[in-house]
């Protein structure tokens, strides 16, 4: 039978075939087909024959075809056929679909829908036919029966797709069902419906099934709805990541984690690759991705920016077209995230409203961590992002050559945090990915070498961290490091020091690198440039410090920490130690040559020798001998000759110019410290080796002789006295200045030396006092001469040579040492008030230097641990001195020049509290514990920072209250301001949620309410403290309103006839302080509140434009309502504050200018709020009554008063102009100055008027949209019309004419006598 069908099909005409097929029953035909297909015989030829003999034009043929189709679909779906046979049958069925009539297509399509709905699919192979059936159906124009009505083919297809998407899909066939729609022409609505269906199914699939489904979705997106596809994929993986991290963070449920981390990351990586590949083929998909993520920034960024989307962006960055856009987007997102966090941290008002979300920096570092799972496509983007952040937001050079940040200071500003994030990205990427390490190191070194003009401390810190992590691994990059060494001679000194410090661990594991460095340094020592020679000295000193010789003392006192990795590769064997000794002695020999070079080079040596000695004690003999030989050149050996030092040998004359050749004081300082260290550390361990002490005895004898002869010497012996020339303009004056500074330095060094060796001997302390008198006389002469000459020297303080350790020892001895044995000797020093003040002023100078540079002069000057210990000791003494002897008691005695000791103590304390928070934030608790002498022995381990800070705060509060309650006529404003500044610093240590902060706020409010001092700087400090505390507890708008009422009451109204009642909320606001002090503070704080409100409104707009799932929608509505309410209440209270200020008769100047700018800003923000409600109205919302009240308030309490204030400002400007005009004959410059000031101060007026008009314009739009007449509250003012007042104009013109006649009358009569030409010219002009 089958052969007959095939043979008949081969004939030209199909008549016989049709007749034969009509004779067959349907069951026979389907049975025949089934038998052929299962056996794998020529079922294709049979099927072609059947189709040829069943034309669709005849009903019987069409029905036969339907039977055949149904039979074949069942066969293909059953899975009983070979793959080739099934594919052949499917292909033939596809070819014939378009010839089927519409009704049959409907029946076939419904069959498919029923199978899917009832989950009867076996292998889904037959689904390949469905898109062809749906496409064919869509082309049918005739009406087809649907239920009781009729639909054309396109509409029927739409209904079928709707039914198909509304039914439940079997999990096994989701991918195949999705691929069905790929080849079906879909309208935008149908496509969105399908995509939404597939996205809803994503969570139901196993992880491994997600990439192919996403691939199908991306193919579908080429038809449209790209944003929806990307949004859905990103949202799905964001939720998956969140749930995964929650599972992992719950330690008790670790065994129940549903998705292994590695598997999830591999799936995410595959999907990212799919999306990137799709973007390469479809540029629009990339554009939609960028548009979607940029739009997400405006609202809740956490919904679009997540670890998955960041990884996706970094992969997309590899496509050149999108590279710049991606990094710009990431940069702005990072900076915005940090700014938002900063804004939230500084405002309790915002913290209570907006929930804290995870920061983008943690997400990016999460991406770095995830990239270990074969995310090679992300790694390159991470490295680029890291360097972009470090380049864009690194420290910048500002005027004066200083940088904007020190590397020791913790990151505070958003830019600093972004730079730190860049460094962390690179460091973590370096740790994880071996392949990228070389590139990172190369790029860092390139920047270190090439960026000579800009600060590179952040790159040096990164390099140091990288090398500390893996010094052995970096040997592979040794060629790049060696190449960088070649540039050392051309780099700034601080860069060289940082670079050598960073690569120090490498030098210990790579001999070749060390040798190449030494070669470079040796060349640099003889370079023409001074900086190159200084760099060579710095490099050699660093090598000496870090290559220890066997037998050296332990490095527990090292000034630079050594990482664990370095300790393991340190040199321990006898052979290497011997080699190190030879190596170090060779370097020392090179350094000795530097002692004949410029003062700057010698200075570096003297400052570095002490550190070398401590780290490498076996070099003590060589170093001490070198110093002894150097000192002998300037030492006068004859004991009866004065002075003991040859100062003329210390200077160098080149023509008319005089230079310092030998920094003698630094040399003595170095000798003094090295001797002290040698005496304490080396001698106890070498008591048996007496012969080695020759240099020590010589040095001690010389220092003793210098001391005794310096005391005997008069200033005339140094050719220095009051009559000497100290001007900077002459060579003699410069020489005398150098001599004076050298003698003062020597005196200070000898003071420290004699105090240390004196062992509380009375004679020694008398010598110390004599040395100080010599120092003091010279210091007074220099100050006096500098003051007369009005030179820059008057403002410069001479750096003290006393070490910080000695300063702390001296202060303890002077103020806290109460032992009986020391009392007699110490009384010598205590008898001199000048000496005690000098000790405190040096402590202040040291703290000031630490605050500005992050280090101090002298030994251990860069060792922050030692500095911190000394700082604690100094603070404890100064705190005791200030609280024990109040300034009032001190001042009641004899009057002295300069500041009192107590005031110096207080100034030092203020700087110390600031410095500790700046450089030692992690040690704050330890610092406060060190100050708390009373509880020291009780071991209060549970005492918090807040409690310790509160104890100190109370002490200073008592001091301030006592100061304010004293009845003295001359109130010490400087002391009061210092106390307030200290209280501000300490208040930052309080926990914002603690009751102690509330107590401090109430105390500050009380102080402002009860004290009516007229000291402007103290008032400003107290107001700053009040506001800084207030914003940590709640919004300060009500406080601003009260202060504004006080200012209005004190300064009076614009209308002088109106008498304003004085509410007196705060006594601190009085006639002297109201303007400009308090007024500017209030306006500055109001500006910050306006920024907060502006941020809130921007947040609201973002939420409005962002679609959310229905379950989150209700939460978002309630959040939006809370934000709206808060913004309106803030603006309402601020309006009442501005209502007071705008009616106040403010003096011309900064207050008026600032108020006009703030008024413009509040109208701009009101306009932004109106625009927000316009959007709300468009999305079927209305405006709340609260908003209506706010508009009413602005119309009644602000706008009319604004126009009155503008008139007032213009009047006072005219008065100042006319006042200047009266004096114009005396001084023309006065008029110019007045004009310039008027122009500057009236510039904000047009901006304000424009802001008001913009506000009213959008109010009109909102009135139309909301059907609420908001303009009924706004009254138009005549000021805006800029009308010309005729009466005033006539008067002004008449006055002008009169003036002209008076001035030109005589000149005109003379001209008429001489010539008639000028009148003719005038007539022509007419």
């Amino acid at each position: 039978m089958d052969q007959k069908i095939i043979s008949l099909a081969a004939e030209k005409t199909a008549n016989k075939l049709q007749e034969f097929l009509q004779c067959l029953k349907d069951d026979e035909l389907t049975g025949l087909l089934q038998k052929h297909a299962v056996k794998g015989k020529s079922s294709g030829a049979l099927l072609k024959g059947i189709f040829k003999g069943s034309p669709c034009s005849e009903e019987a043929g069409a029905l036969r075809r339907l039977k055949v189709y149904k039979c074949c679909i069942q066969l293909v779906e059953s899975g009983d056929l070979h793959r080739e046979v099934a594919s052949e049958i499917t292909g033939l069925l596809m070819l014939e679909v378009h010839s089927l009539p519409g009704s049959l297509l409907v029946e076939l399509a419904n069959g498919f829908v029923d199978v899917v709905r009832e989950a009867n699919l076996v292998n889904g192979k037959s689904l390949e036919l469905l898109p062809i059936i749906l496409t064919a159906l869509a082309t049918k124009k005739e009406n087809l029966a649907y239920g009781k009505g009729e639909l054309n083919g396109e509409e029927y297809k739409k209904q079928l797709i709707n039914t198909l998407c509304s039914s439940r899909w079997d999990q096994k066939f989701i991918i195949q069902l999705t691929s069905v729609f790929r080849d079906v022409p879909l309208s935008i609505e149908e496509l969105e419906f399908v995509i939404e269906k597939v996205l809803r199914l994503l969570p139901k699939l196993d992880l491994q099934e997600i990439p192919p489904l996403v691939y199908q979705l991306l193919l579908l997106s080429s038809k449209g709805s790209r944003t929806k596809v990307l949004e859905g994929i990103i949202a799905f993986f964001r939720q998956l990541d969140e749930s995964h991290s929650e599972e992992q963070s719950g330690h008790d449920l670790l065994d129940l984690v549903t998705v292994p981390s590695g598997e999830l990351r591999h799936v995410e990586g595959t999907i990212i690759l799919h999306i990137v590949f799709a973007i390469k083929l479809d540029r629009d998909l990339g554009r939609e991705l960028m548009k979607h993520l940029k739009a997400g920034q405006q609202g809740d960024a956490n919904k679009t920016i997540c670890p998955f989307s960041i990884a996706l962006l970094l992969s997309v960055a590899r496509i050149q077209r999108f590279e710049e856009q991606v990094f710009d987007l990431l940069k702005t997102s990072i900076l915005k995230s940090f700014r938002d966090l900063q804004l939230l941290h500084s405002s309790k008002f915002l913290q209570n409203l907006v929930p804290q979300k995870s920061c983008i920096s943690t997400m990016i570092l999460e991406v770095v961590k995830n990239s270990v799972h074969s995310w090679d496509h992300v790694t390159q983007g991470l490295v680029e992002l890291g360097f972009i952040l470090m380049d864009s937001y690194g420290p910048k050079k500002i005027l004066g050559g200083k940088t904007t940040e020190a590397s020791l200071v913790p990151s505070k500003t958003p830019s600093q945090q972004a730079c730190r994030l860049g460094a962390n990205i690179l460091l973590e990427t370096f740790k994880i990915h071996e392949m990228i390490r070389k590139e990172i190191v190369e790029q860092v070194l390139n920047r270190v070498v090439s960026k000579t003009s800009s600060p590179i401390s952040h790159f040096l810190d990164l390099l140091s961290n990288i090398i500390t992590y893996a010094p052995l691994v970096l040997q592979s990059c040794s060629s790049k490091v060696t190449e960088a060494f070649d540039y050392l001679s051309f780099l700034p000194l601080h860069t060289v020091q940082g670079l050598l410090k960073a690569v120090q661990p490498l030098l210990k594991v790579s001999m070749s690198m060390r040798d190449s460095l030494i070669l470079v340094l040796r060349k640099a020592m003889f370079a023409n440039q001074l900086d190159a020679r200084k760099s060579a000295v710095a490099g050699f000193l660093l090598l000496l410090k870090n290559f220890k010789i066997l037998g050296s003392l332990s490095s527990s006192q090292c000034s630079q920490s050594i990482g664990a990795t370095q300790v393991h590769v340190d040199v321990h064997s006898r052979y290497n130690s011997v080699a190190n000794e030879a190596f170090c002695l060779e370097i020392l020999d090179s350094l000795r040559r530097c002692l004949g070079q410029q003062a700057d080079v010698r200075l570096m040596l003297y400052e570095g020798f002490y550190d070398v000695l401590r780290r490498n004690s076996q070099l003590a003999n060589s170093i001490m001998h070198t110093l002894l030989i150097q000192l002998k050149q300037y030492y006068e050996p004859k004991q009866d000759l004065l002075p003991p030092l040859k100062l003329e040998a210390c200077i160098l004359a080149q023509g008319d110019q005089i230079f310092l050749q030998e920094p003698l004081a630094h040399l003595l300082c170095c000798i003094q410290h090295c001797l002290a260290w040698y005496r304490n550390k080396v001698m106890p361990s070498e008591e048996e080796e007496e012969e080695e002490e020759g240099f020590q005895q010589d040095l001690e004898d010389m220092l003793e002789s210098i001391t005794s002869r310096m005391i005997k010497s008069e200033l005339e012996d140094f050719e220095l006295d009051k009559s000497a020339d100290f001007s900077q303009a002459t060579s003699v004056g410069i020489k005398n200045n150098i001599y004076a500074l050298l003698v003062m330095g020597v005196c200070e060094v000898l003071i420290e030396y004699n105090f240390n060796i004196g062992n509380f001997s009375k004679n020694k302390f008398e010598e110390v006092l004599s040395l100080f008198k010599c120092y003091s006389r010279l210091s007074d002469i220099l100050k006096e001469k500098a003051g007369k000459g009005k030179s820059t020297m008057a403002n410069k303080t001479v750096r003290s040579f006393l070490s910080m350790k000695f300063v702390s020892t001296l202060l303890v001895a002077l103020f806290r040492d109460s032992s009986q044995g020391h009392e007699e000797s110490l009384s010598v020093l205590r008898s001199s008030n000048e000496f005690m003040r000098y000790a405190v002023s040096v402590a202040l100078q040291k703290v000031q230097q630490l605050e500005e540079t992050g280090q101090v002069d002298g030994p251990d000057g860069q060792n922050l641990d030692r500095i911190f210990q000394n700082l604690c000791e100094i603070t404890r003494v100064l705190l005791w001195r200030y609280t024990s002897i109040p300034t009032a008691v001190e001042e009641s005695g004899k009057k002295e020049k300069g500041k009192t000791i107590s005031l110096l103590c207080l100034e030092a304390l203020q700087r110390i509290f600031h410095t500790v928070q700046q450089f030692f934030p992690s040690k704050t608790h330890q610092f406060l514990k060190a100050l708390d002498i009373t509880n020291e022995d009780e071991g209060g381990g549970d005492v918090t920072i807040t409690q310790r800070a509160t104890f100190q705060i109370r002490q200073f509060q008592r001091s301030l209250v006592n100061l304010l309650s004293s009845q003295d006529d001359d109130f010490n404003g400087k002391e009061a301001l210092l106390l307030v500044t200290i209280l501000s610093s300490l208040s930052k240590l309080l926990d914002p949620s603690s009751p102690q902060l509330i107590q401090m706020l109430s105390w500050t409010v009380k102080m402002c309410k009860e004290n009516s001092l007229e000291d402007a700087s103290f008032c400003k400090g107290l107001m700053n403290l009040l506001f800084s505390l207030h914003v940590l507890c709640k919004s300060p708008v009500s406080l601003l309103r009260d202060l504004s009422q006080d200012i209005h009451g004190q300064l009076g109204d614009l209308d002088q006839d109106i008498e304003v009642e004085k509410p007196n909320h705060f006594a601190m606001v009085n006639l002297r302080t109201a303007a400009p002090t308090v007024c500017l503070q209030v306006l500055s704080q109001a500006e910050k509140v306006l920024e907060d409100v502006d941020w809130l409104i921007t947040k609201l707009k973002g939420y409005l434009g962002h679609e959310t799932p229905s379950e989150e929608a209700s939460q978002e509505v309630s959040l939006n309502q809370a934000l709206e309410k808060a913004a309106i209440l803030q603006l309402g209270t601020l309006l009442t504050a501005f209502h007071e200020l705008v009616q106040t008769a403010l003096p011309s100047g900064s207050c008026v200018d600032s108020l006009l700018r703030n008024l413009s800003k509040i109208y701009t923000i009101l306009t932004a709020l109106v625009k927000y409600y316009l959007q709300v109205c468009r999305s079927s919302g209305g405006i709340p009554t609260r908003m209506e009240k706010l508009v009413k308030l602005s119309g009644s309490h602000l706008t009319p008063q604004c126009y009155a204030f503008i008139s007032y400002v213009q009047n006072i400007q005219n008065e100042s102009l006319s006042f200047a005009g009266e004096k114009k004959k005396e001084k023309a410059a006065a008029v110019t100055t007045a004009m310039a000031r008027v122009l500057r101060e009236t510039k904000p007026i047009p901006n304000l008027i424009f802001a008001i008009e913009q506000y009213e314009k959008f109010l009109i739009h909102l009135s139309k949209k909301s059907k609420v007449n908001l303009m009924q509250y706004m009254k138009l003012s005549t000021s805006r019309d800029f009308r010309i007042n005729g009466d005033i104009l006539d008067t002004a013109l008449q006055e002008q004419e009169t003036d002209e006649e008076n001035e030109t009358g005589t000149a005109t009569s003379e001209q008429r006598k001489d010539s008639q030409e000028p009148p003719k010219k005038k007539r022509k002009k007419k």
Side-chain angles (χ1 to χ4, degrees), residues 1167-1178:
T1167 308
L1169 190 62
V1170 170
K1171 285 179 182 176
Y1172 164 73
Y1173 277 112
L1174 271 171
Q1175 282 180 279
V1176 171
C1177 288
R1178 284 193 195 107

Side-chain angles (χ1 to χ4, degrees), residues 954-1020:
R954 282 182 186 144
Q955 285 197 79
F956 290 109
Q957 282 176 337
R958 278 195 294 273
S959 298
L960 185 57
V961 169
N962 293 338
L963 181 67
L964 295 174
S965 58
S966 64
Q967 301 300 314
D968 292 355
D969 291 336
D970 57 339
F971 165 71
N972 194 337
K974 182 149 192 182
E975 185 178 358
L977 179 60
L978 284 169
L979 284 166
V980 169
T981 314
I982 289 172
L983 287 168
S984 295
S985 289
L986 289 170
S987 69
K988 291 172 187 168
L989 302 175
L990 298 177
D991 180 6
S993 57
S994 64
Q996 285 92 337
L997 188 83
I998 307 293
Q999 286 168 10
M1000 188 169 180
L1001 174 60
S1002 56
W1003 178 85
T1004 311
V1005 170
K1006 186 184 173 193
M1007 292 294 290
C1008 291
K1009 284 186 173 179
E1010 294 177 359
N1011 290 289
S1012 57
L1013 290 165
E1014 295 186 346
D1015 189 288
S1017 57
F1018 170 67
C1019 174
K1020 185 179 178 181

Side-chain angles (χ1 to χ4, degrees), residues 470-488:
L472 291 167
V473 172
L474 252 77
Q475 277 189 283
S476 59
C477 306
S478 59
S479 60
K480 194 69 191 172
V481 178
T482 309
E483 190 184 321
F485 288 159
D486 294 336
Y487 296 94
L488 286 182

Side-chain angles (χ1 to χ4, degrees), residues 1138-1155:
F1138 281 126
H1139 169 69
E1140 297 290 339
L1141 289 175
V1142 90
Q1143 293 181 88
T1144 307
L1146 292 171
S1148 174
S1150 54
C1151 290
V1152 169
D1153 190 36
S1154 185
L1155 178 55

